[in-house]
Amino acid sequence: MANIILLGPPGAGKGTQARKLVDERGMVQLSTGDMLREAKTSGTEMGKKVAEVMDRGELVTDEIVIGLIEEKLSSGQGNGFIFDGFPRTLPQADALGRLLAKIGQKLDAVIEMRVDDEVLVHRISGRFTCGKCGEVYHDATKPTKVAGTCDVCGSTDLRRRADDNEESLRTRLMEYYKKTSPLIGYYYHAGDLFGVDGLAEIDDVAASVAAILDQQV
Ligand code: ADP
Ligand code: ADP
Ligand code: ZN
């Protein structure tokens, strides 16, 4: 059992790899992006508060996302947690360490998914997901087998994200470099950092991630 962070800019492939780990290892994916989008669509007060910030591509407050993670951590666990899109700031990283310690757990590996900025525009502009099961697709690199139908669950509710446009991506990248990339140094210093080539094919990235995990457990 291992608790890991998938770290990387928007479009690096965090969600794609997290889903594979859920399927193959029974780990639990904790995606703050998914949690915030859920709050947004369900129209809760918090959802309304974060909607515009997310659409612009800025980070929502540490307080909100730490609260979301704290709630999930206390509600049981499968075969280890995958933190996907969290932490994104140094205060979030500190909070995660504290929250894990509180439940007698620790972080086993931080996997940095290394990609070039140029591919991110292509990744983000071709991304769509299944509204029912959450499977992640891409127009060019991972299309559905039958146009308009999810391979996994058969749903025809395929969606594109409001923030997956070039302008918002530019802001998200800026946020990543300013606020999230310092975490690379933070976790390197802690001895938890591993890098994978995020530009490789999806299955090859998965093999690199698996090799890191198998060393850890
Ligand atoms: P991506 O797939 O582009 O990496 P996510 O789905 O993880 O994006 O996040 C979408 C948006 O949700 C972010 O641009 C940000 O507004 C908000 N968000 C998600 N996770 C966090 C976090 N840990 N801290 C602050 N904001 C977050
Ligand atoms: P993140 O969660 O880091 O924002 P996603 O997993 O949503 O990234 O991936 C972004 C887009 O790129 C999706 O459309 C996905 O299908 C595609 N993708 C993910 N990994 C790869 C890869 N290794 N090669 C090509 N396309 C990929
Ligand atoms: Zn589906």
Side-chain angles (χ1 to χ4, degrees):
M1 205 200 68
N3 297 313
I4 65 165
I5 294 174
L6 295 178
L7 186 63
K14 304 180 296 292
T16 299
Q17 296 302 327
R19 287 185 65 82
K20 279 182 169 290
L21 294 170
V22 170
D23 285 349
E24 289 162 16
R25 295 177 186 248
M27 296 174 76
V28 175
Q29 177 186 10
L30 296 183
S31 159
T32 39
D34 286 348
M35 294 173 206
L36 290 165
R37 273 184 293 279
E38 240 166 68
K40 215 175 123 177
T41 44
S42 61
T44 60
E45 272 314 305
M46 188 262 279
K48 283 183 214 150
K49 214 161 105 186
V50 299
E52 274 182 38
V53 176
M54 288 177 75
D55 288 351
R56 278 201 303 271
E58 292 164 13
L59 294 187
V60 310
T61 64
D62 289 337
E63 195 189 351
I64 288 178
V65 289
I66 292 167
L68 287 170
I69 287 286
E70 183 167 18
E71 221 171 274
K72 300 279 175 178
L73 282 184
S74 54
S75 66
Q77 157 190 34
N79 202 16
F81 293 112
I82 309 155
F83 298 96
D84 161 13
F86 178 91
R88 266 173 149 100
T89 64
L90 289 167
Q92 289 179 26
D94 281 336
L96 177 60
R98 278 198 307 275
L99 291 173
L100 283 172
K102 218 161 93 181
I103 56 168
Q105 303 261 337
K106 65 176 178 53
L107 202 56
D108 296 286
V110 177
I111 301 179
E112 184 202 351
M113 307 190 57
R114 298 187 180 137
V115 289
D116 295 335
D117 287 357
E118 300 88 85
V119 306
L120 297 179
V121 178
H122 179 254
R123 292 252 182 115
I124 291 289
S125 55
R127 167 160 66 186
F128 59 99
T129 53
C130 174
K132 190 162 172 223
C133 75
E135 187 68 4
V136 185
Y137 295 98
H138 189 280
D139 294 323
T141 63
K142 198 189 169 205
T144 54
K145 293 197 177 80
V146 178
T149 307
C150 175
D151 297 352
V152 176
C153 75
S155 168
T156 52
D157 177 16
L158 300 174
R159 304 178 182 173
R160 286 183 202 267
R161 279 168 45 177
D163 58 342
D164 276 351
N165 57 70
E166 258 191 67
E167 196 189 333
S168 164
L169 175 62
R170 220 168 309 136
T171 308
R172 283 149 74 195
L173 269 180
M174 203 79 89
E175 292 281 72
Y176 178 78
Y177 286 118
K178 269 197 305 212
K179 298 174 184 164
T180 309
S181 69
L183 298 185
I184 296 169
Y186 176 97
Y187 286 119
Y188 175 79
H189 186 72
D192 293 330
L193 191 73
F194 298 81
V196 298
D197 175 13
L199 294 170
E201 303 261 321
I202 291 175
D203 287 342
D204 295 334
V205 180
S208 310
V209 171
I212 293 166
L213 272 170
D214 292 336
Q215 272 175 22
Q216 292 301 307
V217 288

